[in-house]
Amino acid sequence: MSTEVIQSSGGGMGQRSELHMSSNSFSTSTSSSSSYSISSTRLRKVSQTSRLLEEQSGVQRKISGVMESFSQVQKSSEIPAGESIPDFEDRPCSVTAQEGNKAAFKAKASGNPKPTVTWTRESGKPMTEGARTFYDDINKQYVLKIKNLTMEDADVYKCIASNCHGDAIYSVSLVVTENPALDFKKKLKKRSVEKKEKKPPTEEEMLKILAGAEKKDYERICAEYGFTDFRGILKKLKEMKKKVDVEMVRVLKPLENVTAKEDSNVVFDTILELKDPNIRMLWFQGEELLRIQYSLGKYEVKQLGTKHMLCISSVCLADSGTYSLKVGDKILSAKLTVIEEPLKFATDLKPLRVTERQTAVFEVHLSKRADTPPVWKFKGKELKRDEKFDVCVSEDGLTYTLKIKDVRPSDTGDFTISIGDLTTTAQLFIERIPIKFVSHLKNVRVKEKGKARLEAEMSSKDVQVRWLKDGKDITNNPRYIFMREGKRAELIMEDCELEDRGEYSIVCTQDNDSNKYVSSSNLTVEERFATVKSSMSDVQCPSGSPAELCVVLDDEKVDGVWLKDGKEITDLRGVQVVKQGAVHKLLIRNVGDEHEGQYTFRAKGAESEAVLNIANRPKPPQGKVDFLECSGKCITMKWKAPRDNGGKKVTSFVIERRMTGKKSWIKVGEVDGDITTFCNDTVEEGKPYQYRIRAVNSQGLSDPLETEQVYAGEPIEPPSLVPQPQISDVTKDSATVTWTNPAQDGGAPVLGYIVERRKKGSSMWVSISKELIQDTKCVVDGLVEDMEYEFRVTAVNRAGEGTPSASSNTVLAKDPTRAPGLVGKFHVIDSSNTSISLAWCSPELGDNPTGYILEMRPEDGKEWAKYTKIPITGTSYNVGGLQERMKYYFRIRAVNQGGIGEPIELEHGVLALPPPEPPKFNLQGKVKHQILVRAGCTLCIPVSFSGSPPPEVTWLKDGVPTRGQEVISKGKNDSQFMITSCQRSDSGVYRVILSNDCGEVHYDISVRVTDAPRSPKNLRLVEEVQGTVTLHWDHTPDLTEDEHTHYIILKRDTSTTTWFTAAEHVFSSKYTVTGLFPGRKYYFRVIARNLIGDSDPLDAKEPFSIEKEHENLILQMKPFTHKHHEVKPGILLPLKNHAVCSGNDCTMSCAFFGFPVPQVSWFKEDVSILDSPRYWQSSTDGVCTLTIPTCTVKDSGEYTLLVENKLGKAKCKCSLVVFDKDDNRLLEHLTQESWKEKLII
C-alpha cells in the first residue's frame, strides 16, 4: 500500500513525500476472538498559536499548522470479493482565509457498501454556528462550509468516511488571519488603556478602514468603532470610489459596429483617456480572450496616441460576433458582421485552336477564393497532374490554369472545370500539319518468282495508309504483305507472277484533314527459264519399300510438272511431290505394282525421264515343321519351301533356337535353298527347345516359321522345396544347420545342397561354400559375435537348382548365457511412514542379469510374495503402500535368460518409519539476516525447517525469551513470529532455535525498527570566509541510532520561493555553503533524512546577507615593510566525493595555502576544464569552488584540483556520481559507502 501525504506548515513551502507501507499492514490475527488490523499514516503534528506582527501591514493571525494526513482502519478480518474499505477519490485541501470571510472543504469518498461521511474538529470542540455540512448531488461531493470566520474557527478538521469494513480519515488544517478592519477596535481598546481615554476615529481614518472591507460589514464596523454618521460616511465613500473610477478611464470614442466582406481587413478603434498608461487592456471575442501573440498575424493591437485599435486580417464567417475591450472596470463592445459573397467565375473558359504538337493553356478566374479544390475533366474523365497535364493555382487562389502539353488530334474535345456547384466548359481544336513524302515510291523490276518491295516514308507517323494497284484498292488483299514502322510504309510481294505487273500507289490521310496525299510507281515482272543440272536415274526396289525420284535445276524459282507414262500425276496413291529450292523430288511411301512404270519431269526449258522396277523378299516356309527324331543327343526336323520367292531365287534357309522360357534366339545352322531338312546335335537331354526357320534371297530374309516346344529325350524338372532348416549349437562364431531331403527330386537324383546365410534385416544371401554339400547337416563358421543371422537351403539336380527353403529362425551369434549369482550389498537407503527404499549391487558371478525379483513378507507372515509382476530393471526400488510402524522382511534374486539366481535376504526386518534426522533450516532466501521495519508496521519472520522427529521451536530476543506481545504460530515444518504494530524498542537480534533428539540448530535475524528522523535543532549561521556561509546545528538524536541518517542542506534567495539543494549526504553538524552572490539575502534549511523519509525542516529565522565589496574605499595605512614568507602549496580541506541526482547542481570546494598565491587548475579525467563554459569556477582567499549546473550522467567521473607556484604543487581528487532519482539501488550503495567514512562532530 502507498499513501501520498501533503505536508504544510503555516504559510511556508509545501513538501510532498511518498510513504511505502509494508504489505503485511493488512494482516489478520489467528486468534479465535474477533480481530481487526489498523494501517494508518500519521504525521507528527507541529501546532503553535502565535501573534506575528508583519513588517508592513501589522496583520495578526492565528495559525494551526498541521500536515495533511490520511489513515485507514480495517474492522473486518475478511472482506468479501467486490467490497472494500472506504477511500477518498477527491481529498480536501488545507485553507487559509481572512477573518470574516468564508471557507469550504470538499471531499469525494468511495467504498462498498457506500460509506457515511461526517466532519469533526481535532480539538474536540463543536462546530460553530456558521458551519454547515451537505452533499453536492451535481459534483458528488461532501462539503463543509464555514461562514463569517473567527479566530476560534482555526483548527484541524477531520473528514471521516465509514462503512461496516472500516474507516477512512483525512485531516486538513484551517488557518485564519486577522482582518485589520475588524481588529481596529481591539487596537483602540489597547490604546485607551494606555492613554486612559477613548477617541472615535476621524473621517479620513474611517474611510481607509471601510475601503478594505465588504459592503455588508460597513454598518457593523462603524458600530464597533463608535462612528455615528453612518449615512454621511457611506455617501463620501461612494463619491470617493466614483471619483477614482472616473479618473482611471475616460471614453472619448466608443467601439462601433463593423460590416465587412469576406477576406477583407477590419479595424475596431476607440479613443480612451487613461490615467495610468500601463493599465491592462484585454480584447475578447464573445467571452473568449484573444491570444494576440499566438494568432500568427491574424490579430494585431495598435495604439496611436489615445487611439487604440484591434486589426483583424482576412476575416471569414467564423470571425463574426461581438468583440469587447476590457480596461479596468470599463467594458466596450461592438459587433462584427461578415458578409459572404457568392462564388462565381470572373471569366469563363474560352475555346482554343492550337496547332498540333504545341501546348494548349486554359485559364479561368474566380470572384473569390474557393474552399473546395477544382476538378478538371476531359470528355467526362477527371484529369490528374502528370507529364501530359499540368494543373496549377495562383498565389491568391483566384486563378486556375490547365496546360495540355504536346497536343495531338486525340486531345480534341470539351474541357470542363468544376468548383463546387460552378461548372464551365470550352472546346479545344487541333490544326493538323500537312503530310509530306520524305521518300516517294520508286519503280521496281523483278524476275518471275522473285520478291518485290515498294516503300515510302512520310513526315508523320499518325496517318492512315491505303494501297492501290491500277486504281483499285488492295489494302485488304492477302496476296500482299503490308508493313508499318513509324513513318515508313512497305508493300511486299513474294513469288511475283506475270499478272502482278502494273502501277502501284500509296494514299495517305489524317484526322481533321480532308486532303489526300498520293505517291505512285510501276512494277515490271520478267519471265524465267531453267535447264537440268542433275537428271533422274532408273530405280529398282522391293514392294512396300519407299522410293524416290530426284531432279536438280539451275534455277530454284522455276516450277515443274511430274508425269507417269505420259500423264500428269494428280491422284496416284502414296505419291508426294516435294520442291526444295532448285531440287524437285517425287516420293513414294510404299511401293506397289501400280507404281511401276516410266516417270517424266518437265519445266520451262528443261525435261528428265526414269523407270521404276519392283523386287521383294521371299515368303516364309510353308506348313508345319515335322520332327523326324527327338532324342537326348539330337533333334531332326523337316519343312517345305515358300510359295513365293519374291521374284528372286531362294539361296538358303537360316535355323534359330531358344530354350523354353527364354527370349533371345540363337542361330544353330544354315542350309542351301534346295535342302529342307536339318539335324541339331548340340542339345541337352531333358531340356525343352523351340525353333524357327527363315528363307533368304537377294532382297533379304523372309518372316520366320516357328515350331512348337520339343524335348531332347524325356523331360527333367529341378527338385522341390526343402523344409525349413533348424539351427542348434550356436556359439559366438559358429552354428549347426540341419535339414531334411525334398519331397520330390524332379525326375533326377539330387546332386547336393546349397546352404546360404544373411544378416537380419539384409536382403543379400551369401553361400557358405563353393561346392555342393552332400549331407543334410553342416557347421557354419565365421560368424560375427552379437550379430543375428538367418539360413536357407536349396536342393540341386541335373535340371538345376530348386526353390530355396523358408528362412530359419533368427539366431544370435553368442555363447550360451549363464544364470546370475547372488545379489550384492542389499541394504535400506530410506524409509517413511508408508514406504521403504531399497538398493543393491549387481551379482559378481554369472552373466549379467536382465532384472531382479523382489520379494517381501510382513513380520507376522510366513509366505514370500513378489512385490512386482515383472522383474525390476534397476538396482534400487521404493516399496510403497506399507502400514505405518509395521516391520517387513525383504529378499531379492537376479534373473536372466540363463535362469534365476539364488535369493539374498536382509539380516533384520525394517520398520515403516522415517530415519532419524537432526533439525535443519530450509530458508531458501525467504528470510534475511537483517530486516528493516518502519515503526507501527507489522514485523513478520517466517521460517521453514525439517527434522525427524519434528523439532521443537523456541524464539529468543537478545538471548531472552520474548515478552508475549508477539504472535507465534507453529507447524510441523514451519513457524512464524509476528508483531502486528512494532516499536523502536522491538529492535534487536532475534534467534530461532530448533531441537530434537538428534541435535539442535539456531538462526539469528537482526531486526531494526526505525521511523522518519527527528528534526535537528539550533541552526546558527556564520560567515567564516567572505562569500560563503557556514551552518552549525545540533544533531538529531536518530543519527547515532541509524547509520543511514544524514542531512540535506537547502538554500533559497529571498526573491524566490523555490528551495535549491546545496548539499546532500552530510553527516557532520557543520557545513559551508559556497557559490553565493554578493548583495543578496539567503534563507537556509537543514533536513534529516534516512531510508524511511525526511524530518521536519529546521529553517533559519532570518535571512543571511552576503555583503558586496566596498568601492572607493581609501585606507590610510602606515608604511609596512613586507616580509616575504614563501610557502610551498598545500591542501587545508580536501575535496569530498559527491553523489548528485540527475538535474541538480553540484558544488565542489577545497581550501589551500601557499605563497606566492598558487595558480588553480581543474581537471576531469586528466583533461583540463579551465576554459570550458560548462563549469563555473572561482578562487578567493584560499578557497576554490567548482560548480556544475544541472548535472547529467556524462558529468560523472574523477575531478582533480591542482594548485602550484614556483615552490611546488599540490593535488586533490574526488569522484562525482550522477544517478537517476529512481535508481534506489545506487542510492542505497552510496549511502552505505558514505556511512563508512562519516564523522559525527
Side-chain angles (χ1 to χ4, degrees), residues 533-709:
K533 188 175 181 181
S534 175
S535 61
M536 292 186 294
S537 58
D538 294 340
V539 177
Q540 184 176 355
C541 62
S543 177
S545 63
E548 178 181 309
L549 299 175
C550 180
V551 178
V552 181
L553 303 180
D554 62 351
D555 191 344
E556 63 181 13
K557 297 294 184 180
V558 177
D559 292 334
V561 178
W562 288 92
L563 298 94
K564 179 180 180 295
D565 297 332
K567 295 182 180 180
E568 184 177 356
I569 299 174
T570 56
D571 56 353
L572 187 60
R573 180 183 61 81
V575 176
Q576 182 182 4
V577 177
V578 178
K579 180 178 181 297
Q580 298 176 343
V583 179
H584 299 262
K585 294 181 180 180
L586 180 69
L587 302 178
I588 304 173
R589 186 167 56 251
N590 295 316
V591 176
D593 295 339
E594 67 274 14
H595 298 123
E596 191 172 12
Q598 184 177 7
Y599 290 85
T600 304
F601 175 78
R602 292 178 184 174
K604 289 185 179 180
E607 184 174 341
S608 178
E609 294 182 353
V611 177
L612 174 62
N613 295 319
I614 298 175
N616 294 324
R617 293 181 298 119
K619 298 293 183 181
Q622 297 184 64
K624 182 179 180 182
V625 177
D626 296 329
F627 291 97
L628 303 179
E629 180 182 359
C630 294
S631 65
K633 295 181 179 180
C634 67
I635 297 177
T636 305
M637 62 197 75
K638 183 179 181 180
W639 64 87
K640 294 180 181 180
R643 291 182 180 179
D644 185 3
N645 60 5
K648 297 292 183 180
K649 181 182 177 181
V650 176
T651 58
S652 63
F653 292 95
V654 176
I655 296 90
E656 295 175 310
R657 182 190 75 185
R658 70 178 178 184
M659 294 184 67
T660 302
K662 304 292 184 179
K663 292 184 179 181
S664 59
W665 293 89
I666 301 173
K667 182 178 179 182
V668 294
E670 185 175 358
V671 297
D672 293 339
D674 299 334
I675 301 173
T676 59
T677 60
F678 178 75
C679 179
N680 183 16
D681 55 359
T682 58
V683 295
E684 296 182 19
E685 185 179 2
K687 292 291 182 73
Y689 295 97
Q690 187 178 5
Y691 294 88
R692 70 180 183 181
I693 305 168
R694 294 175 181 267
V696 182
N697 68 1
S698 60
Q699 298 299 318
L701 296 172
S702 70
D703 293 335
L705 172 63
E706 294 185 2
T707 68
E708 297 179 352
Q709 176 179 304

Side-chain angles (χ1 to χ4, degrees), residues 702-964:
S702 70
D703 293 335
L705 172 63
E706 294 185 2
T707 68
E708 297 179 352
Q709 176 179 304
V710 60
Y711 283 90
E714 294 297 328
I716 301 175
E717 294 181 354
S720 63
L721 184 71
V722 176
Q724 182 183 21
Q726 303 298 320
I727 313 299
S728 61
D729 299 334
V730 180
T731 66
K732 63 181 180 180
D733 57 359
S734 65
T736 301
V737 183
T738 58
W739 65 91
T740 59
N741 293 326
Q744 298 178 357
D745 59 2
V750 175
L751 302 177
Y753 298 92
I754 299 174
V755 179
E756 297 173 298
R757 74 180 182 191
R758 71 174 178 183
K759 297 177 182 178
K760 183 179 180 181
S762 175
S763 60
M764 183 177 68
W765 290 93
V766 179
S767 176
I768 66 171
S769 175
K770 295 181 180 180
E771 303 294 334
L772 295 177
I773 297 174
Q774 303 300 325
D775 198 358
T776 58
K777 177 180 180 181
C778 71
V779 177
V780 180
D781 298 325
L783 302 182
V784 179
E785 188 176 3
D786 293 331
M787 186 70 71
E788 293 183 329
Y789 291 93
E790 295 176 345
F791 299 89
R792 72 178 183 180
V793 180
T794 306
V796 181
N797 64 5
R798 288 187 304 166
E801 299 177 4
T803 305
S805 68
S807 301
S808 68
N809 295 329
T810 303
V811 296
L812 180 66
K814 188 177 181 181
D815 290 338
T817 305
R818 296 176 299 168
L822 289 175
V823 175
K825 297 181 181 180
F826 187 37
H827 62 284
V828 178
I829 59 175
D830 194 10
S831 62
S832 66
N833 294 331
T834 59
S835 64
I836 297 175
S837 296
L838 303 172
W840 57 88
C841 296
S842 300
E844 297 179 357
L845 300 177
D847 287 341
N848 293 331
T850 58
Y852 300 90
I853 298 174
L854 178 65
E855 297 174 308
M856 74 172 186
R857 66 178 178 85
E859 185 180 17
D860 56 353
K862 296 182 179 181
E863 297 294 332
W864 291 94
K866 291 184 179 180
Y867 187 74
T868 59
K869 294 182 179 179
I870 59 175
I872 301 170
T873 57
T875 57
S876 63
Y877 195 79
N878 183 39
V879 180
L882 304 180
Q883 185 175 350
E884 187 176 359
R885 298 185 177 274
M886 174 71 75
K887 181 180 287 188
Y888 292 90
Y889 293 88
F890 297 93
R891 72 178 185 181
I892 192 169
R893 62 179 72 190
V895 63
N896 63 9
Q897 293 180 354
I900 300 175
E902 293 297 325
I904 183 172
E905 185 178 351
L906 287 176
E907 294 181 1
H908 305 286
V910 183
L911 289 175
L913 286 176
E917 178 186 1
K920 181 176 63 175
F921 286 99
N922 300 324
L923 300 179
Q924 299 179 352
K926 294 182 179 179
V927 179
K928 299 181 180 178
H929 283 285
Q930 295 183 354
I931 298 177
L932 179 65
V933 185
R934 183 172 183 175
C937 295
T938 300
L939 170 63
C940 181
I941 307 175
V943 294
S944 59
F945 48 82
S946 62
S948 178
E952 295 183 0
V953 183
T954 305
W955 290 87
L956 303 178
K957 179 195 174 190
D958 297 330
V960 180
T962 53
R963 295 173 298 177

